[in-house]
Amino acid sequence: MPSLTDGTATLTPARVRLALLALALGGFAIGATEFVAMGLLPNLAADLLPGLYAYSPDVANAQVGWIISAYALGVVVGAPTIAAAAARWPRKQLLLVLLACFTLATIASALLPTFGLVLVARFVAALPHGAYFGIASLVAAELMGPGKRARGVAIVLSGLTIANVIGVPSITWLGQLAGWRVAYIAVAALFAVTFVAVIVAVPFQAGDAGATMRNELRAFGRLQVWFALMIGAVGFGGLFAVYTYVAPLVIEITGLPAFAVPLVLIVVGLGMTVGNFAGGVFADRSVRRSMYAFFAVMLAALLLLAFSAQHLAGLLAGVFLVGASAAALSPTIQTRLMDVAHDSQSIAAALNHSALNLGNSLGAFLGGVVIAGGLGYLAPIWVGFGLSVVGLGLAVITFGIDRSRRRRGRPVPYGTALITVVDAH
C-alpha cells in the first residue's frame, strides 16, 4: 500500500477527503466547460456569426456546433499525447500545469473576437481534459488505497456528473442573461479556484520514474487495450445518441414545452451522478460482472425509453436509467484500461476520455443520420440500443480472451499488476 504522506507528514483522513474534493472540483469545471456551449449555441452564433445568423439561424447554429466538435477533437488528441509525454512528471505539478492551461485557454475562449479564433481556443482548452482526468484518477486511486481504485476514479468523475446537475444549468442561465463570454469567464474562475485547491490540499506524488513516451505508447500494441477503448467508444455512444437529441424528444415525442428540457437534463445528470458512484463501488468488486450488469441496465433503459417516451413517467425513468448506466460504465471501463495497460498507467488512465469523446461523436452523428433520414426522434434511441449491443459483445470477447489465457496458464490482468493462473488440470 502506498504511504499517504506529504513530505514527512502522514495524511489525515480529513486531508485525504480535501484532496479528493479538490480533484473532483477540477472535474466539475471540466464538465462545465465541455457542456455549457450546448445550451448557448444560439448566443454564440448570433455574436460570432451575425451576418449568417441574420440570414439563417439554423445554418449559423450548425456551424457554431463545430465548437463542440473542436473540443471533442482536442480531448482525443491531447489525452494520449500529454499523458505519455509527461508520465515522469510529479503528479501534483502536472495537475497544476494542466489547470493553468485550462484557465488561460478558457479566458482566451471568452475574449477572442472571431469565430475562427474561438474555435482554436476551444480545441486548445480541450487538450488537458483527458490527461487531467487520467492523472487525477491515479492520484485518487493512491489516496484511496488498495481495493478502492475504481472508487477513487468515481470520485474524480463525480465532479463531471454533478456539473450536469448544477454547473451546466447555472452557467447556461448566466450566459443567457449576461452573455456567453461571461459564462466562459465564470468557467475560467472555476479552474482558477481548482488550481488553488490543488496547491493547498493535494499531496506530492512522484511520477513514474521509469516511464518513457516509448513505454507509455506500448499500450497501443496490446489487443486488450484496443478492446477496452472500443467498448468505451461504441458502448458509450449509446448514451450520446439519446443525450444529443433529448430536446426534440421531450418536445416532439413527449409533448412537453421547451422550458421542460433543462429539467429533463437535470434528471439525466442525477442519473449520471448516482451511476458514477455505483460504478466505482461495483467495479472494485468485479470489473467483468459490473460491465455486463451495467450494459444490461442500459439496454433495458433504452427499451423502456423507446416504448414509453410518449409518457412523462416513462421519459423520466428512461433518461435517468440511461444516464445512470452509462455513467456507471465510465469508471468500470477506465479501471479495465488500467488493468490491461500493464505499466503504461498514465496513458491508460487518460485514454478512456479519448474513447468516450469518440463515443460522443459517434452517437451524435448516427442519431443525426437516422433523424435526417426521416425515421423520427425515437430512432436515435434504437441507434443507442444497437451501439450498446455492440459494446456488450466487445466486452464478452475481451473477457473471453482472459478466460482463454487462464486455461493456457498465461498472465491475465488483475489490478495494476499481472497474475498467472495455472490450470489445475
Side-chain angles (χ1 to χ4, degrees):
M1 175 178 177
S3 177
L4 298 182
T5 62
D6 190 4
T8 58
T10 301
L11 297 184
T12 64
R15 174 68 184 281
V16 171
R17 287 193 292 271
L18 284 174
L20 292 170
L21 180 61
L23 297 173
L25 181 60
F28 184 91
I30 293 173
T33 199
E34 181 176 14
F35 296 117
V36 75
M38 295 177 181
L40 294 174
L41 276 184
N43 308 73
L44 286 155
D47 185 53
L48 294 174
L49 300 170
L52 182 59
Y53 188 80
Y55 173 73
S56 175
D58 290 343
V59 174
N61 285 335
Q63 187 167 330
V64 170
W66 296 352
I67 287 175
I68 298 170
S69 299
Y71 190 93
L73 180 61
V75 176
V76 173
V77 172
T81 305
I82 296 174
R88 298 182 66 177
W89 288 26
R91 289 172 178 168
K92 179 174 180 176
Q93 281 81 344
L94 178 55
L95 288 174
L96 292 173
V97 169
L98 296 173
L99 288 166
C101 292
F102 270 127
T103 304
L104 295 174
T106 306
I107 292 172
S109 301
L111 299 181
L112 289 171
T114 67
F115 172 68
L117 291 175
V118 172
L119 194 70
V120 172
R122 297 312 297 153
F123 175 83
V124 174
L127 292 174
H129 178 124
Y132 176 87
F133 276 121
I135 300 302
S137 295
L138 292 176
V139 173
E142 188 166 325
L143 288 170
M144 291 293 288
K148 298 180 180 180
R149 289 179 311 135
R151 271 168 279 188
V153 172
I155 288 172
V156 174
L157 292 174
S158 69
L160 182 66
T161 59
I162 292 171
N164 282 281
V165 181
I166 301 172
V168 174
S170 299
I171 296 175
T172 299
W173 175 77
L174 174 65
Q176 290 171 339
L177 287 180
W180 69 269
R181 296 182 186 275
V182 175
Y184 276 111
I185 290 294
V187 173
L190 287 174
F191 283 120
V193 170
T194 305
F195 183 91
V196 175
V198 169
I199 290 177
V200 173
V202 175
F204 174 85
Q205 280 191 15
D208 185 351
T212 65
M213 179 173 282
R214 182 177 180 180
N215 287 340
E216 289 291 319
L217 292 176
R218 284 178 181 170
F220 290 107
R222 298 186 175 104
L223 178 63
Q224 292 288 51
V225 168
W226 284 105
F227 269 112
L229 291 174
M230 287 189 292
I231 291 169
V234 177
F236 217 73
L239 166 67
F240 286 103
V242 174
Y243 193 26
T244 305
Y245 303 101
V246 71
L249 180 71
V250 169
I251 296 168
E252 302 296 335
I253 300 300
T254 314
L256 298 177
F259 68 76
V261 173
L263 301 177
V264 174
L265 290 175
I266 289 174
V267 173
V268 179
L270 288 170
M272 293 172 70
T273 302
V274 172
N276 175 61
F277 284 111
V281 171
F282 288 103
D284 276 329
R285 299 176 183 175
S286 171
V287 170
R288 177 179 60 84
R289 288 195 295 270
S290 295
M291 197 174 294
Y292 288 163
F294 293 129
F295 265 123
V297 173
M298 177 174 277
L299 290 169
L302 289 165
L303 286 176
L304 171 66
L305 191 59
F307 288 110
S308 63
Q310 297 88 346
H311 309 287
L312 178 60
L315 172 74
L316 296 180
V319 298
F320 178 89
L321 290 172
V322 169
S325 54
L329 283 168
S330 184
T332 306
I333 294 169
Q334 182 147 335
T335 303
R336 174 64 178 176
L337 268 169
M338 293 164 69
D339 287 346
V340 298
H342 301 185
D343 55 349
S344 303
Q345 287 295 292
S346 294
I347 197 170
L351 280 173
N352 187 41
H353 299 280
S354 292
L356 299 188
N357 273 270
L358 287 173
N360 184 343
S361 299
L362 180 65
F365 171 75
L366 293 178
V369 168
V370 294
I371 290 173
L375 298 179
Y377 289 113
L378 288 175
I381 300 173
W382 292 108
V383 169
F385 186 87
L387 290 172
S388 297
V389 168
V390 175
L392 178 58
L394 290 169
V396 171
I397 293 171
T398 190
F399 291 117
I401 292 172
D402 283 352
R403 287 194 299 273
S404 176
R405 287 177 174 174
R406 288 191 187 96
R407 287 195 295 269
R408 290 179 289 171
R410 295 183 62 186
V412 296
Y414 185 82
T416 56
L418 291 176
I419 60 171
T420 300
V421 180
V422 180
D423 192 343
H425 301 288

